[in-house]
Amino acid sequence: MKAKTYIILISLLFLAVISGCAVKQRGVDQESAQEVSQAKPTTPPDWVLGKGHPRFPQTSYLIGVGFSDTNAVSANESARSNLAKTLKVRIRSNMKDVSSTEGTYIESVIQTEVDTVLEGVEIKDGWYDKIKGVYYSLATLERKLASSTIENRIKKVELSLKGYMRDGVEAENRADVISALSNYMAGYKKDPTLSPLKSALYVITRRRGSAESQNNYNGDFESRILRIVHNLKMSSLSGNQLKVKSQKGLSDPLVAKVYLLSDGKEIPASNIPVIFKYEKGSGELEESTLSDSNGSVQTRVHQILSFDEANHIVALKLDFDRFVSSFDKELTDKFLSPLQNLKITFNYSIQTPKWTANKSYAWRKGITGLVNQLISNIPPGETPLLGVMVFKDLRYEKTTPFSRILEEDIKTILARAEDIKIKEIAVAENDKPEEIAKANGLDFYVNGSYRMENGGLEMRARLIETQTNNINSSANTLIARKEINPEDLALLEPKGVPTGSLESGDSYQEKLEKIVAMKPDRSPFNVSVWTDKKEYQINEKIVFYVKAEESGYLTLFDVSSNGNITVIFPNKYHQDNFVRKGVTYQVPSPNYGFEFDIQGPRGLERAKAIVTRNKIPLLELNLDEGFHSLQSGSTRGMRDIKILSKQILSAESSDWAEAYSEIFIFGKEQVYTRGSRKIPILEKPEKPIDMIGTMGNEEESR
């Protein structure tokens, strides 16, 4: 038969969490109590009638009564069960109002705490009603023991809450966003356990002050979570609003900062997962990354895949799924969902360089050849960043409108090179190229000059390593006047522009390059200069050879990649610089008693030989140390290079001849194959057979 239950709760029971084993029963055990009660008259004891138990007063104990018509064991369970139900009702009614969401969680907490408390309940008495056939049971709990247990439990919870708050604040102050949120959210979830514990303590002690004396952190935890969500920000540092003139990728990375705004200060936030995604256009880039200790995140667009859109947009967003992966889902939905909208964008425009329709095939071929010479010495396996400076017209010692045309055409060809990135840079006429290159983070930069001669337009260029300012390679080309389109030719010959001279305010390097490029208008005879090979390593031995078709006076210059010049002939050991026609001269000669060792620096080294028919002292030589030298950047070097240029210019074109040669110096055991980088020359388009005349420059068809 189903057990009937009835409870008379003598006093209010408490809620507490008790760890460890249940307290051992004291006094009369269940069976002996039942036997004693059965031996007594059928009059029920006072505790059955709700009048209390003389050995367990209400001031010291919480008691509960249960009954069953089955057996004493069922009566015991009934007493415990009804004690728990009443306890939950009392605790719940004593608590302040809570929201429905919190209520669900608190009910779970109350149930857990009550179940724990019941482990300390003892069955202290029992009685059997023979007439009705009903078993009664008395459950008791000592108030002092219960209150002590609950107070310890409250202290542990509050210590945990203080720890969460302390660790969260420390993490927030150093912008460790994920750690701060983890602590605040753990504290927010833990805090509701205090309320039922406080209510249970009041039920047991009947002292309201004891229950209200503890702090409540929940409001603080919530406000701090919301503050972080509101103050987590992103901003772009570089790479926005770029103009792309390459079909490969962006020259600069897209760089942003993730930070936490605090009292107007931007504190870098580290270890924040972010993701870069195209919103418009398409390309290859690194999508996912984490912010570093400076809050910095970046990606590179390695390849642009779409050229249909004039503008591309790359969005930087918080990688929300990774960010919240360790957080409670319910609290994530409640507090963190606004972070899904945290993002900034980078924009870049596509301006892919193209040849204008009126550029001749010979012009394209000449510029491509010039560029191939420049990039031939760049080590393979690297992707350097290059910039192009504005070329000078040597006739006017300044840039002209044609300089910009030439700059754009060189960049157009460079943009087709594999594993090279081109950066757009702003160059003013008086800016120093080496300073511009460093300011723009270039690995190399292209600088050069041009001049119109009788044979056509001669262009000379150099590829210079930014870090060392050493020349890595040089290039020259000559394009016939007829191959230049009329519009460009008009810019090459502006009216009213005064011709400059070498006495202008040129730098040492500019004067040096003009001397290297100097040649008579019509060379009266030929001169040759060469070495036994074209490539050397530092510390290898080198020999120079010179031969002239006519007798004359030889001055042989060795120009290192850093701009220093050494006059290696004449020298202390051979001061007479007269050379006979048709005779090959070796420097150093075997009778010098020594050899030349390559000292470096690495890069392009050049030899310039000048032979004059008359004995013209190009320089006042100081041979005390064996060889006269001009040091780049020194006052004496600047003085000597001015004198040298004057002397060469003062000679009649029919009185001198020159020769030029290049060698490349590798670092010791740093040899690589030069010339592996090469841009193919665009094929000359065939003229359709059904068309009359030609398109573009008519001279191409001849």
Side-chain angles (χ1 to χ4, degrees), residues 282-311:
S282 63
E284 294 179 358
L285 51 71
E286 296 113 358
E287 292 189 346
S288 298
T289 186
L290 290 172
S291 59
D292 62 19
S293 58
N294 296 317
S296 177
V297 293
Q298 71 173 31
T299 189
R300 282 189 177 274
V301 177
H302 299 290
Q303 186 77 32
I304 296 173
L305 302 179
S306 172
F307 295 90
D308 296 333
E309 304 89 352
N311 295 287

PDB file of all heavy atoms in Angstrom, residues 282-311:
ATOM      1  N   SER A 282      38.932  40.163 -54.586  1.00  0.00           N
ATOM      2  CA  SER A 282      39.453  38.890 -54.084  1.00  0.00           C
ATOM      3  C   SER A 282      40.962  38.860 -54.238  1.00  0.00           C
ATOM      4  O   SER A 282      41.535  39.526 -55.106  1.00  0.00           O
ATOM      5  CB  SER A 282      38.821  37.706 -54.834  1.00  0.00           C
ATOM      6  OG  SER A 282      39.152  37.749 -56.209  1.00  0.00           O
ATOM      7  N   GLY A 283      41.592  38.075 -53.377  1.00  0.00           N
ATOM      8  CA  GLY A 283      43.038  37.940 -53.408  1.00  0.00           C
ATOM      9  C   GLY A 283      43.486  36.890 -52.418  1.00  0.00           C
ATOM     10  O   GLY A 283      42.692  36.372 -51.623  1.00  0.00           O
ATOM     11  N   GLU A 284      44.769  36.569 -52.474  1.00  0.00           N
ATOM     12  CA  GLU A 284      45.347  35.595 -51.553  1.00  0.00           C
ATOM     13  C   GLU A 284      45.983  36.336 -50.385  1.00  0.00           C
ATOM     14  O   GLU A 284      46.848  37.184 -50.579  1.00  0.00           O
ATOM     15  CB  GLU A 284      46.399  34.745 -52.267  1.00  0.00           C
ATOM     16  CG  GLU A 284      45.826  33.848 -53.360  1.00  0.00           C
ATOM     17  CD  GLU A 284      46.910  33.048 -54.056  1.00  0.00           C
ATOM     18  OE1 GLU A 284      48.097  33.228 -53.701  1.00  0.00           O
ATOM     19  OE2 GLU A 284      46.581  32.257 -54.955  1.00  0.00           O
ATOM     20  N   LEU A 285      45.536  35.998 -49.163  1.00  0.00           N
ATOM     21  CA  LEU A 285      46.090  36.626 -47.966  1.00  0.00           C
ATOM     22  C   LEU A 285      46.025  35.656 -46.797  1.00  0.00           C
ATOM     23  O   LEU A 285      45.327  34.643 -46.848  1.00  0.00           O
ATOM     24  CB  LEU A 285      45.357  37.931 -47.632  1.00  0.00           C
ATOM     25  CG  LEU A 285      43.823  37.951 -47.549  1.00  0.00           C
ATOM     26  CD1 LEU A 285      43.282  37.235 -46.335  1.00  0.00           C
ATOM     27  CD2 LEU A 285      43.323  39.393 -47.544  1.00  0.00           C
ATOM     28  N   GLU A 286      46.797  35.958 -45.739  1.00  0.00           N
ATOM     29  CA  GLU A 286      46.709  35.174 -44.507  1.00  0.00           C
ATOM     30  C   GLU A 286      45.486  35.661 -43.745  1.00  0.00           C
ATOM     31  O   GLU A 286      45.399  36.830 -43.396  1.00  0.00           O
ATOM     32  CB  GLU A 286      47.971  35.360 -43.666  1.00  0.00           C
ATOM     33  CG  GLU A 286      49.238  34.839 -44.330  1.00  0.00           C
ATOM     34  CD  GLU A 286      50.199  35.958 -44.687  1.00  0.00           C
ATOM     35  OE1 GLU A 286      49.842  37.123 -44.452  1.00  0.00           O
ATOM     36  OE2 GLU A 286      51.273  35.671 -45.218  1.00  0.00           O
ATOM     37  N   GLU A 287      44.554  34.748 -43.472  1.00  0.00           N
ATOM     38  CA  GLU A 287      43.282  35.165 -42.898  1.00  0.00           C
ATOM     39  C   GLU A 287      43.307  35.267 -41.379  1.00  0.00           C
ATOM     40  O   GLU A 287      42.915  36.282 -40.813  1.00  0.00           O
ATOM     41  CB  GLU A 287      42.172  34.200 -43.338  1.00  0.00           C
ATOM     42  CG  GLU A 287      41.850  34.279 -44.825  1.00  0.00           C
ATOM     43  CD  GLU A 287      40.615  33.486 -45.188  1.00  0.00           C
ATOM     44  OE1 GLU A 287      40.166  32.674 -44.352  1.00  0.00           O
ATOM     45  OE2 GLU A 287      40.088  33.676 -46.294  1.00  0.00           O
ATOM     46  N   SER A 288      43.724  34.215 -40.696  1.00  0.00           N
ATOM     47  CA  SER A 288      43.603  34.163 -39.237  1.00  0.00           C
ATOM     48  C   SER A 288      44.933  34.468 -38.562  1.00  0.00           C
ATOM     49  O   SER A 288      45.987  34.009 -39.007  1.00  0.00           O
ATOM     50  CB  SER A 288      43.116  32.781 -38.793  1.00  0.00           C
ATOM     51  OG  SER A 288      41.841  32.504 -39.326  1.00  0.00           O
ATOM     52  N   THR A 289      44.862  35.230 -37.479  1.00  0.00           N
ATOM     53  CA  THR A 289      46.066  35.531 -36.712  1.00  0.00           C
ATOM     54  C   THR A 289      45.667  35.975 -35.312  1.00  0.00           C
ATOM     55  O   THR A 289      44.479  36.137 -35.012  1.00  0.00           O
ATOM     56  CB  THR A 289      46.907  36.627 -37.405  1.00  0.00           C
ATOM     57  OG1 THR A 289      48.141  36.786 -36.706  1.00  0.00           O
ATOM     58  CG2 THR A 289      46.167  37.952 -37.422  1.00  0.00           C
ATOM     59  N   LEU A 290      46.666  36.151 -34.449  1.00  0.00           N
ATOM     60  CA  LEU A 290      46.462  36.643 -33.084  1.00  0.00           C
ATOM     61  C   LEU A 290      47.210  37.959 -32.918  1.00  0.00           C
ATOM     62  O   LEU A 290      48.277  38.154 -33.506  1.00  0.00           O
ATOM     63  CB  LEU A 290      46.994  35.639 -32.057  1.00  0.00           C
ATOM     64  CG  LEU A 290      46.242  34.324 -31.865  1.00  0.00           C
ATOM     65  CD1 LEU A 290      47.044  33.407 -30.942  1.00  0.00           C
ATOM     66  CD2 LEU A 290      44.863  34.557 -31.279  1.00  0.00           C
ATOM     67  N   SER A 291      46.671  38.854 -32.120  1.00  0.00           N
ATOM     68  CA  SER A 291      47.372  40.106 -31.844  1.00  0.00           C
ATOM     69  C   SER A 291      48.607  39.815 -30.992  1.00  0.00           C
ATOM     70  O   SER A 291      48.590  38.950 -30.118  1.00  0.00           O
ATOM     71  CB  SER A 291      46.453  41.095 -31.132  1.00  0.00           C
ATOM     72  OG  SER A 291      45.973  40.554 -29.916  1.00  0.00           O
ATOM     73  N   ASP A 292      49.696  40.552 -31.263  1.00  0.00           N
ATOM     74  CA  ASP A 292      50.927  40.338 -30.513  1.00  0.00           C
ATOM     75  C   ASP A 292      50.933  41.183 -29.242  1.00  0.00           C
ATOM     76  O   ASP A 292      49.918  41.779 -28.865  1.00  0.00           O
ATOM     77  CB  ASP A 292      52.151  40.628 -31.386  1.00  0.00           C
ATOM     78  CG  ASP A 292      52.211  42.075 -31.866  1.00  0.00           C
ATOM     79  OD1 ASP A 292      51.532  42.938 -31.267  1.00  0.00           O
ATOM     80  OD2 ASP A 292      52.941  42.354 -32.835  1.00  0.00           O
ATOM     81  N   SER A 293      52.076  41.233 -28.571  1.00  0.00           N
ATOM     82  CA  SER A 293      52.155  41.942 -27.291  1.00  0.00           C
ATOM     83  C   SER A 293      51.890  43.433 -27.436  1.00  0.00           C
ATOM     84  O   SER A 293      51.554  44.106 -26.458  1.00  0.00           O
ATOM     85  CB  SER A 293      53.532  41.724 -26.660  1.00  0.00           C
ATOM     86  OG  SER A 293      54.557  42.174 -27.531  1.00  0.00           O
ATOM     87  N   ASN A 294      52.047  43.964 -28.650  1.00  0.00           N
ATOM     88  CA  ASN A 294      51.748  45.375 -28.907  1.00  0.00           C
ATOM     89  C   ASN A 294      50.331  45.578 -29.421  1.00  0.00           C
ATOM     90  O   ASN A 294      49.972  46.687 -29.836  1.00  0.00           O
ATOM     91  CB  ASN A 294      52.747  45.952 -29.917  1.00  0.00           C
ATOM     92  CG  ASN A 294      54.161  45.952 -29.384  1.00  0.00           C
ATOM     93  OD1 ASN A 294      54.394  46.297 -28.232  1.00  0.00           O
ATOM     94  ND2 ASN A 294      55.114  45.551 -30.211  1.00  0.00           N
ATOM     95  N   GLY A 295      49.538  44.507 -29.425  1.00  0.00           N
ATOM     96  CA  GLY A 295      48.183  44.594 -29.949  1.00  0.00           C
ATOM     97  C   GLY A 295      48.136  44.618 -31.459  1.00  0.00           C
ATOM     98  O   GLY A 295      47.076  44.819 -32.051  1.00  0.00           O
ATOM     99  N   SER A 296      49.272  44.402 -32.106  1.00  0.00           N
ATOM    100  CA  SER A 296      49.357  44.531 -33.560  1.00  0.00           C
ATOM    101  C   SER A 296      48.937  43.240 -34.261  1.00  0.00           C
ATOM    102  O   SER A 296      49.268  42.140 -33.819  1.00  0.00           O
ATOM    103  CB  SER A 296      50.787  44.894 -33.965  1.00  0.00           C
ATOM    104  OG  SER A 296      50.918  44.963 -35.368  1.00  0.00           O
ATOM    105  N   VAL A 297      48.203  43.401 -35.357  1.00  0.00           N
ATOM    106  CA  VAL A 297      47.853  42.284 -36.235  1.00  0.00           C
ATOM    107  C   VAL A 297      48.118  42.733 -37.667  1.00  0.00           C
ATOM    108  O   VAL A 297      47.978  43.914 -37.989  1.00  0.00           O
ATOM    109  CB  VAL A 297      46.376  41.853 -36.082  1.00  0.00           C
ATOM    110  CG1 VAL A 297      46.123  41.266 -34.718  1.00  0.00           C
ATOM    111  CG2 VAL A 297      45.427  43.023 -36.326  1.00  0.00           C
ATOM    112  N   GLN A 298      48.511  41.799 -38.514  1.00  0.00           N
ATOM    113  CA  GLN A 298      48.760  42.178 -39.895  1.00  0.00           C
ATOM    114  C   GLN A 298      48.585  40.992 -40.824  1.00  0.00           C
ATOM    115  O   GLN A 298      48.629  39.835 -40.409  1.00  0.00           O
ATOM    116  CB  GLN A 298      50.159  42.769 -40.062  1.00  0.00           C
ATOM    117  CG  GLN A 298      51.300  41.776 -39.939  1.00  0.00           C
ATOM    118  CD  GLN A 298      52.639  42.413 -40.296  1.00  0.00           C
ATOM    119  OE1 GLN A 298      52.863  43.592 -40.101  1.00  0.00           O
ATOM    120  NE2 GLN A 298      53.531  41.629 -40.847  1.00  0.00           N
ATOM    121  N   THR A 299      48.382  41.315 -42.087  1.00  0.00           N
ATOM    122  CA  THR A 299      48.326  40.308 -43.134  1.00  0.00           C
ATOM    123  C   THR A 299      48.934  40.906 -44.388  1.00  0.00           C
ATOM    124  O   THR A 299      49.100  42.128 -44.497  1.00  0.00           O
ATOM    125  CB  THR A 299      46.879  39.854 -43.409  1.00  0.00           C
ATOM    126  OG1 THR A 299      46.895  38.724 -44.285  1.00  0.00           O
ATOM    127  CG2 THR A 299      46.064  40.963 -44.070  1.00  0.00           C
ATOM    128  N   ARG A 300      49.273  40.048 -45.325  1.00  0.00           N
ATOM    129  CA  ARG A 300      49.787  40.493 -46.622  1.00  0.00           C
ATOM    130  C   ARG A 300      48.914  39.928 -47.737  1.00  0.00           C
ATOM    131  O   ARG A 300      48.539  38.755 -47.691  1.00  0.00           O
ATOM    132  CB  ARG A 300      51.236  40.038 -46.828  1.00  0.00           C
ATOM    133  CG  ARG A 300      52.255  40.876 -46.081  1.00  0.00           C
ATOM    134  CD  ARG A 300      53.670  40.523 -46.507  1.00  0.00           C
ATOM    135  NE  ARG A 300      54.655  41.361 -45.861  1.00  0.00           N
ATOM    136  CZ  ARG A 300      55.038  42.550 -46.316  1.00  0.00           C
ATOM    137  NH1 ARG A 300      54.507  43.023 -47.435  1.00  0.00           N
ATOM    138  NH2 ARG A 300      55.940  43.260 -45.678  1.00  0.00           N
ATOM    139  N   VAL A 301      48.619  40.769 -48.700  1.00  0.00           N
ATOM    140  CA  VAL A 301      47.928  40.316 -49.904  1.00  0.00           C
ATOM    141  C   VAL A 301      49.015  39.883 -50.883  1.00  0.00           C
ATOM    142  O   VAL A 301      49.706  40.713 -51.472  1.00  0.00           O
ATOM    143  CB  VAL A 301      47.051  41.430 -50.505  1.00  0.00           C
ATOM    144  CG1 VAL A 301      46.399  40.941 -51.793  1.00  0.00           C
ATOM    145  CG2 VAL A 301      45.985  41.861 -49.509  1.00  0.00           C
ATOM    146  N   HIS A 302      49.192  38.570 -51.023  1.00  0.00           N
ATOM    147  CA  HIS A 302      50.271  38.048 -51.858  1.00  0.00           C
ATOM    148  C   HIS A 302      49.915  38.082 -53.344  1.00  0.00           C
ATOM    149  O   HIS A 302      50.796  38.227 -54.192  1.00  0.00           O
ATOM    150  CB  HIS A 302      50.596  36.607 -51.451  1.00  0.00           C
ATOM    151  CG  HIS A 302      51.051  36.476 -50.038  1.00  0.00           C
ATOM    152  ND1 HIS A 302      52.262  36.949 -49.593  1.00  0.00           N
ATOM    153  CD2 HIS A 302      50.441  35.945 -48.945  1.00  0.00           C
ATOM    154  CE1 HIS A 302      52.398  36.699 -48.306  1.00  0.00           C
ATOM    155  NE2 HIS A 302      51.303  36.097 -47.884  1.00  0.00           N
ATOM    156  N   GLN A 303      48.647  37.939 -53.639  1.00  0.00           N
ATOM    157  CA  GLN A 303      48.232  37.879 -55.041  1.00  0.00           C
ATOM    158  C   GLN A 303      46.836  38.469 -55.165  1.00  0.00           C
ATOM    159  O   GLN A 303      45.941  38.124 -54.400  1.00  0.00           O
ATOM    160  CB  GLN A 303      48.223  36.424 -55.535  1.00  0.00           C
ATOM    161  CG  GLN A 303      47.936  36.263 -57.013  1.00  0.00           C
ATOM    162  CD  GLN A 303      49.139  36.607 -57.878  1.00  0.00           C
ATOM    163  OE1 GLN A 303      50.268  36.408 -57.471  1.00  0.00           O
ATOM    164  NE2 GLN A 303      48.908  37.125 -59.059  1.00  0.00           N
ATOM    165  N   ILE A 304      46.669  39.382 -56.096  1.00  0.00           N
ATOM    166  CA  ILE A 304      45.345  39.928 -56.391  1.00  0.00           C
ATOM    167  C   ILE A 304      44.708  39.037 -57.446  1.00  0.00           C
ATOM    168  O   ILE A 304      45.300  38.778 -58.495  1.00  0.00           O
ATOM    169  CB  ILE A 304      45.452  41.385 -56.877  1.00  0.00           C
ATOM    170  CG1 ILE A 304      46.014  42.264 -55.753  1.00  0.00           C
ATOM    171  CG2 ILE A 304      44.089  41.904 -57.315  1.00  0.00           C
ATOM    172  CD1 ILE A 304      46.314  43.678 -56.174  1.00  0.00           C
ATOM    173  N   LEU A 305      43.506  38.551 -57.158  1.00  0.00           N
ATOM    174  CA  LEU A 305      42.862  37.573 -58.038  1.00  0.00           C
ATOM    175  C   LEU A 305      41.755  38.176 -58.891  1.00  0.00           C
ATOM    176  O   LEU A 305      41.296  37.534 -59.830  1.00  0.00           O
ATOM    177  CB  LEU A 305      42.284  36.426 -57.201  1.00  0.00           C
ATOM    178  CG  LEU A 305      43.293  35.660 -56.329  1.00  0.00           C
ATOM    179  CD1 LEU A 305      42.590  34.578 -55.534  1.00  0.00           C
ATOM    180  CD2 LEU A 305      44.401  35.063 -57.186  1.00  0.00           C
ATOM    181  N   SER A 306      41.313  39.373 -58.559  1.00  0.00           N
ATOM    182  CA  SER A 306      40.218  39.984 -59.310  1.00  0.00           C
ATOM    183  C   SER A 306      40.588  41.406 -59.690  1.00  0.00           C
ATOM    184  O   SER A 306      41.025  42.188 -58.848  1.00  0.00           O
ATOM    185  CB  SER A 306      38.935  39.989 -58.463  1.00  0.00           C
ATOM    186  OG  SER A 306      37.928  40.742 -59.102  1.00  0.00           O
ATOM    187  N   PHE A 307      40.403  41.720 -60.974  1.00  0.00           N
ATOM    188  CA  PHE A 307      40.677  43.069 -61.455  1.00  0.00           C
ATOM    189  C   PHE A 307      39.420  43.709 -62.038  1.00  0.00           C
ATOM    190  O   PHE A 307      39.485  44.735 -62.703  1.00  0.00           O
ATOM    191  CB  PHE A 307      41.792  43.040 -62.505  1.00  0.00           C
ATOM    192  CG  PHE A 307      43.113  42.604 -61.948  1.00  0.00           C
ATOM    193  CD1 PHE A 307      43.475  41.266 -61.936  1.00  0.00           C
ATOM    194  CD2 PHE A 307      43.986  43.524 -61.397  1.00  0.00           C
ATOM    195  CE1 PHE A 307      44.686  40.860 -61.410  1.00  0.00           C
ATOM    196  CE2 PHE A 307      45.197  43.132 -60.862  1.00  0.00           C
ATOM    197  CZ  PHE A 307      45.554  41.789 -60.867  1.00  0.00           C
ATOM    198  N   ASP A 308      38.275  43.076 -61.773  1.00  0.00           N
ATOM    199  CA  ASP A 308      37.017  43.625 -62.277  1.00  0.00           C
ATOM    200  C   ASP A 308      36.580  44.844 -61.476  1.00  0.00           C
ATOM    201  O   ASP A 308      35.926  45.739 -62.002  1.00  0.00           O
ATOM    202  CB  ASP A 308      35.912  42.558 -62.221  1.00  0.00           C
ATOM    203  CG  ASP A 308      36.211  41.386 -63.145  1.00  0.00           C
ATOM    204  OD1 ASP A 308      36.922  41.606 -64.151  1.00  0.00           O
ATOM    205  OD2 ASP A 308      35.753  40.267 -62.857  1.00  0.00           O
ATOM    206  N   GLU A 309      36.922  44.860 -60.179  1.00  0.00           N
ATOM    207  CA  GLU A 309      36.539  45.983 -59.334  1.00  0.00           C
ATOM    208  C   GLU A 309      37.692  46.978 -59.240  1.00  0.00           C
ATOM    209  O   GLU A 309      38.849  46.588 -59.101  1.00  0.00           O
ATOM    210  CB  GLU A 309      36.176  45.511 -57.920  1.00  0.00           C
ATOM    211  CG  GLU A 309      35.081  44.459 -57.870  1.00  0.00           C
ATOM    212  CD  GLU A 309      35.623  43.048 -57.969  1.00  0.00           C
ATOM    213  OE1 GLU A 309      36.832  42.906 -58.238  1.00  0.00           O
ATOM    214  OE2 GLU A 309      34.841  42.101 -57.786  1.00  0.00           O
ATOM    215  N   ALA A 310      37.351  48.258 -59.304  1.00  0.00           N
ATOM    216  CA  ALA A 310      38.384  49.289 -59.198  1.00  0.00           C
ATOM    217  C   ALA A 310      38.888  49.427 -57.771  1.00  0.00           C
ATOM    218  O   ALA A 310      40.024  49.833 -57.543  1.00  0.00           O
ATOM    219  CB  ALA A 310      37.842  50.630 -59.695  1.00  0.00           C
ATOM    220  N   ASN A 311      38.034  49.075 -56.815  1.00  0.00           N
ATOM    221  CA  ASN A 311      38.407  49.182 -55.406  1.00  0.00           C
ATOM    222  C   ASN A 311      38.137  47.859 -54.696  1.00  0.00           C
ATOM    223  O   ASN A 311      37.092  47.241 -54.901  1.00  0.00           O
ATOM    224  CB  ASN A 311      37.612  50.299 -54.717  1.00  0.00           C
ATOM    225  CG  ASN A 311      37.943  51.664 -55.264  1.00  0.00           C
ATOM    226  OD1 ASN A 311      39.000  52.211 -55.002  1.00  0.00           O
ATOM    227  ND2 ASN A 311      37.027  52.225 -56.042  1.00  0.00           N
TER     228      ASN A 311
END
